């Protein structure tokens, strides 16, 4: 494309926007609304999956060692458990540590406590085990039960099943929301573009009859779509950004138990995606809907 | 320059617009197409700038076979042909000057040259006062003259005029005819479909009469030949 035709394209784009302000505004608004919907859905998805993850990460197995097992054997057992497939972390809380913690919770020094309890420490050594995949907690617990050194293995039977059901539902909902609203956004934008191009069908036909090539007609449309999409993208970015910040602040101050994602990385990712998506939707939308009108 | 060989055109709805038409028009000629309404004059013109394809037969322009012409070559054909459309076909969202200039924009000319030449063409049709008006702000005759200006602005090798005086008063009609006559004298081939008896009778040019899609008469220096 030569320099003078590049200037022509820009002039065309500007004058088209200037002469059809309402159509342009409608396009910008459509892109904006669609992207706002998508942006919030993305944040919703990020939060539901984060919430699911944080609930699941609280699932752990407690395994108690028989009190008569010597210390060396306990340490050997720790290495064995660590080596089991599907185990993410193992933390050993020895009898002494357990007692100290117990004492602290009672507000007393550990030394006195032992004598208060008659000179012996009644607490067992305890392993706290996290599974790499919380859904495998049940099988892992069953495997741990095989160790004769272990007296009992607990993982909140019953509760975990229901929790996992809940987190699975959370994840599906996040994905469902983004798919449903994504589809709505696509419909919204394609209706708008169809209207735009349809209203110019006759113009396109005339341009071709006067000797314009397809690209000569396409360029101004593409650039216009790109600019309007970008404008919608910028507006959406600003609104989604401030909206989410406010909402996240509000939720974490009033519903403190809900884990809200406030990572700059996620924020940056969603925002750039919205901007790029705006431009792509604008340009590609015009290009696609032009296709069938160019065969004159 | 133009050669139609056994051309028939049947529209998708079954209307037989042209039936087995053969016609030769040489470079530099001035030809009137006459005939009753619905005879097929506009259809013949449409075949030449390839808005329509013939159903049968061969259409060629400057030795190029228009039936076989590739889609991406069509814009180049149309840039060599100026067309004064029966229904004007002006771009509604462009001013008069931009409409005329558009035929030059597609050639990739500089903006300045586009404007200068567009204004010159508009001067020839007597519309210098309406440069910045939009088509809907013009009378029918004014719109028609914008269309004339656009058709001649890029000095086409062939000028096809589909009733270019249909909306004009007799004086303006004759001004347009003088314009077409001058362009023809400079070497442009002119094909003009018209119902204007007095114009055809006075100009003493070649007259091709079409009736029900067939060529009924082809006279050098002929007259309109139909009683109104
Ligand atoms: N796009 C079309 N689709 C279907 N039929 C058409 C179409 N255009 C023209 N026709 C038919 O083809 C025939 C010839 O039409 P055409 O426009 O060529 O006539 P014309 O000689 O230019 O008439 P007029 O003097 O009224 O302009 C007519 O019967 C018309 O109804
Ligand atoms: Mg006609």
């Amino acid at each position: 494309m030569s320099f003078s035709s590049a200037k022509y394209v820009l002039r065309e784009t500007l004058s088209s926007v200037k002469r059809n302000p309402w159509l342009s505004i409608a396009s910008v608004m459509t892109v904006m609304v669609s992207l706002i919907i998508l942006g919030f859905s993305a944040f919703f998805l990020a939060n539901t999956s984060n919430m699911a993850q944080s609930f699941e990460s609280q699932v752990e197995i407690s395994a108690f060692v028989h009190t008569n097992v010597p210390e060396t054997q306990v340490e050997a057992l720790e290495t064995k458990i660590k080596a089991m497939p599907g185990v993410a972390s193992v933390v050993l809380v020895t009898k002494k540590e357990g007692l100290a913690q117990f004492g602290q919770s009672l507000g007393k020094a550990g030394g006195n406590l032992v004598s208060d309890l008659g000179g012996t420490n009644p607490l067992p050594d305890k392993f706290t085990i996290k599974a790499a995949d919380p859904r495998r907690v049940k099988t892992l617990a069953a495997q741990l039960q095989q160790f004769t050194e272990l007296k009992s293995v607990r993982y909140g039977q019953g509760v975990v099943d229901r929790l996992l059901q809940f987190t699975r539902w959370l994840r599906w909902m996040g994905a469902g929301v983004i798919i449903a609203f994504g589809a709505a956004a696509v419909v919204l934008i394609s209706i708008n573009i169809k209207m735009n191009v349809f209203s110019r069908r006759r113009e396109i036909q005339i341009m071709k009859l006067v000797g314009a090539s397809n690209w000569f007609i396409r360029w101004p449309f593409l650039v216009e779509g790109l600019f309007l999409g970008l404008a919608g993208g910028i507006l959406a970015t600003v609104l989604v950004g401030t909206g989410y910040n406010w909402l996240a602040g509000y939720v974490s101050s009033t519903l403190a138990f809900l884990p809200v994602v406030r990572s700059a990385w996620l924020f940056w990712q969603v925002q750039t995606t919205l901007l790029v998506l705006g431009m792509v939707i604008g340009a590609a939308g015009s290009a696609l809907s032009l296709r069938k009108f160019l065969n004159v | 320059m133009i050669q139609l060989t056994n051309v028939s055109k049947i529209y998708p709805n079954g209307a037989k617009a042209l039936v087995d038409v053969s016609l030769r028009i040489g470079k530099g000629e001035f030809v009137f197409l006459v005939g009753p309404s619905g005879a097929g004059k506009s259809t013949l013109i449409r075949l030449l700038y390839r808005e329509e394809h013939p159903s049968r037969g061969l259409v060629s322009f400057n030795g190029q076979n228009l039936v076989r012409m590739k889609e991406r070559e069509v814009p180049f054909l149309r840039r060599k042909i100026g067309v004064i459309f029966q229904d004007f076909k002006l771009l509604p969202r462009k001013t008069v000057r931009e409409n005329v200039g558009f035929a030059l924009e597609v050639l990739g000319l500089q903006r300045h040259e586009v404007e200068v030449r567009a204004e010159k063409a508009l001067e020839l049709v007597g519309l210098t006062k309406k440069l910045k008006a939009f088509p809907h702000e013009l009378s029918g005759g004014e719109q028609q003259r914008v269309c004339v200006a656009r058709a001649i602005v890029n000095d086409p090798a062939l000028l096809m005029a589909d009733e270019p005086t249909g909306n004009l008063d007799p004086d303006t009609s004759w001004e347009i005819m003088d314009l077409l006559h001058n362009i023809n004298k400079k070497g442009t081939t002119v094909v003009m479909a018209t119902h204007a008896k007095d114009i055809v009778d006075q100009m003493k040019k070649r007259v091709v009469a079409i009736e029900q899609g067939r060529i009924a008469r082809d006279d050098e220096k002929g007259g309109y030949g139909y009683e109104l």
Side-chain angles (χ1 to χ4, degrees):
Chain A
M1 196 167 53
S2 73
F3 184 62
S4 77
S5 31
K7 276 200 299 193
Y8 164 81
V9 168
L10 283 181
R11 246 187 303 124
E12 273 300 283
T13 306
L14 276 179
S15 90
S16 167
V17 171
K18 217 164 57 188
R19 283 174 194 173
N20 314 288
W22 289 110
L23 207 61
S24 305
I25 289 171
S27 310
V28 171
M29 289 295 154
T30 312
V31 173
M32 185 190 80
V33 169
S34 310
L35 290 181
I36 286 177
I37 291 171
L38 271 184
F40 275 113
S41 312
F43 278 120
F44 187 77
L45 176 67
N47 272 295
T48 47
S49 76
N50 173 62
M51 224 178 273
Q53 208 168 23
S54 103
F55 285 146
E56 283 170 358
S57 73
Q58 286 162 22
V59 174
E60 53 186 31
I61 303 172
S62 301
F64 299 94
V65 184
H66 283 292
T67 39
N68 57 359
V69 177
E71 216 168 295
T72 49
Q73 218 174 319
V74 173
E75 278 160 20
L77 186 60
E78 184 179 6
T79 15
K80 265 196 257 176
I81 297 176
K82 270 186 180 153
M84 284 171 72
V87 170
S89 71
V90 179
V91 177
L92 170 62
V93 183
T94 59
K95 319 176 189 201
K96 277 184 217 146
E97 287 163 355
L99 190 66
Q101 280 171 15
F102 184 53
Q104 254 165 21
S105 70
L106 293 177
K108 273 190 182 179
N112 300 339
L113 202 60
V114 177
S115 53
D116 287 354
L117 289 166
T120 51
N121 181 350
L123 291 177
D125 291 317
K126 172 189 163 195
F127 289 107
T128 303
I129 301 149
K130 282 197 173 158
D133 179 356
R135 275 166 298 185
R136 294 208 51 237
V137 160
K138 216 180 206 171
T139 39
L140 201 61
Q143 282 165 0
L144 287 167
Q145 227 122 35
Q146 307 294 313
F147 291 111
T148 50
E149 296 94 329
L150 293 177
K151 188 169 168 237
S152 71
V153 176
R154 290 199 208 123
Y155 65 93
Q157 285 88 334
V159 178
V160 168
D161 282 342
R162 257 182 292 163
L163 180 74
L164 286 178
Q165 222 170 5
F166 175 65
T167 57
R168 197 169 54 219
W169 177 81
L170 258 184
R171 285 203 172 92
W172 275 112
M173 191 164 83
V177 162
I178 205 166
I179 288 170
F181 283 125
V186 167
V187 170
L188 214 62
I189 286 170
S190 63
I191 287 176
N192 174 272
I193 289 174
K194 283 232 175 68
M195 259 166 46
N196 273 358
V197 175
F198 196 77
S199 78
R200 300 202 190 164
R201 196 172 51 160
R202 198 176 138 72
E203 274 175 74
I204 293 169
Q205 208 172 351
I206 295 171
M207 288 176 174
K208 288 214 67 176
L209 291 183
V210 183
S213 64
N214 284 351
W215 274 109
F216 190 84
I217 295 169
R218 220 178 263 138
W219 271 116
F221 268 94
L222 287 184
V223 174
E224 188 181 339
L226 196 86
F227 275 132
L228 296 182
L230 181 64
I234 290 173
L235 288 176
T237 316
V238 171
L239 289 173
V240 169
T242 44
Y244 182 71
N245 263 342
W246 176 82
L247 205 66
Y250 182 77
V251 169
S252 44
S253 68
T254 52
L255 303 164
F257 61 91
L258 280 181
V260 179
V261 186
R262 307 193 74 168
S263 100
W265 166 241
L266 170 76
F267 202 74
W268 187 85
Q269 247 182 334
V270 172
Q271 300 289 65
T272 22
T273 308
L274 290 189
L275 276 185
V276 173
L277 211 59
M279 290 193 286
V280 171
I281 289 171
S286 319
L288 285 179
S289 41
L290 266 184
R291 242 181 3 183
K292 64 170 169 251
F293 295 127
L294 281 174
N295 299 322
V296 179
Chain B
M1 175 175 237
I2 297 170
Q3 174 101 46
L4 277 76
T5 317
N6 305 114
V7 170
S8 296
K9 174 68 192 178
I10 301 165
Y11 282 105
N13 66 357
K16 287 185 183 156
L18 291 174
V19 185
D20 202 25
V21 169
S22 293
L23 181 67
R24 235 188 100 91
I25 296 175
K27 191 164 162 38
E29 274 196 75
F30 194 120
V31 182
F32 284 115
L33 290 179
V34 299
S37 181
K41 306 181 292 295
S42 298
T43 302
L44 198 155
I45 288 174
R46 275 185 219 127
L47 292 176
L48 287 169
Y49 61 87
R50 235 191 81 152
E51 191 182 351
E52 296 288 351
H53 289 269
S55 311
R56 230 171 296 128
L58 206 94
V59 182
S60 78
F61 172 77
N62 276 345
Q64 275 180 298
N65 181 347
L66 299 196
V67 181
R68 290 265 192 84
M69 180 176 268
K70 291 198 183 72
E71 220 37 68
R72 68 186 146 78
E73 291 169 25
V74 172
F76 297 98
L77 167 76
R78 289 176 181 162
R79 289 172 203 174
K80 283 181 247 163
I81 301 176
V83 185
I84 303 166
F85 299 96
Q86 192 166 11
D87 55 353
F88 317 147
K89 296 201 196 295
L90 299 179
L91 295 164
R93 284 186 264 230
K94 286 188 186 295
T95 63
V96 164
R97 185 170 58 191
E98 287 166 348
N99 260 288
V100 176
F102 192 79
L104 300 172
E105 299 270 17
V106 299
L107 302 175
L109 297 187
Q110 295 284 333
R111 185 181 193 192
H112 179 71
E113 193 182 350
V114 168
E115 287 188 353
V116 169
R117 284 176 65 177
E119 281 171 30
K120 209 178 281 171
L122 282 162
E123 203 179 307
L124 287 175
V125 298
L127 270 182
T128 34
K129 288 201 191 103
K130 305 273 182 175
L131 294 181
K132 288 187 178 142
F134 287 92
H136 66 90
E137 297 166 340
L138 302 178
S139 73
E142 286 167 339
Q143 289 180 34
Q144 189 153 36
R145 282 184 281 158
V146 176
C147 188
V148 173
R150 182 179 62 188
I152 62 172
V153 73
N154 59 351
D155 300 322
L158 169 65
L159 180 64
M160 288 193 295
D162 201 345
E163 301 191 29
T165 60
N167 292 271
L168 303 177
D169 60 82
D171 285 350
T172 321
S173 292
W174 277 111
E175 278 168 30
I176 295 296
M177 287 319 298
D178 283 343
L179 188 63
L180 298 188
H181 188 65
N182 287 335
I183 288 167
N184 176 242
K185 274 199 291 196
K186 278 190 243 158
T188 298
T189 311
V190 178
V191 177
M192 171 170 161
T194 187
H195 293 292
K197 179 180 181 352
D198 53 332
I199 289 176
V200 178
D201 286 344
Q202 281 194 44
M203 297 268 296
K204 302 262 182 295
K205 299 286 185 187
R206 180 176 169 193
V207 176
V208 174
I210 300 178
E211 283 170 33
Q212 294 181 345
R214 295 172 195 272
I215 293 187
R217 179 161 56 91
D218 188 348
D219 295 337
E220 289 300 323
K221 300 193 194 307
Y224 186 73
Y226 295 98
E227 290 311 315
L228 290 174

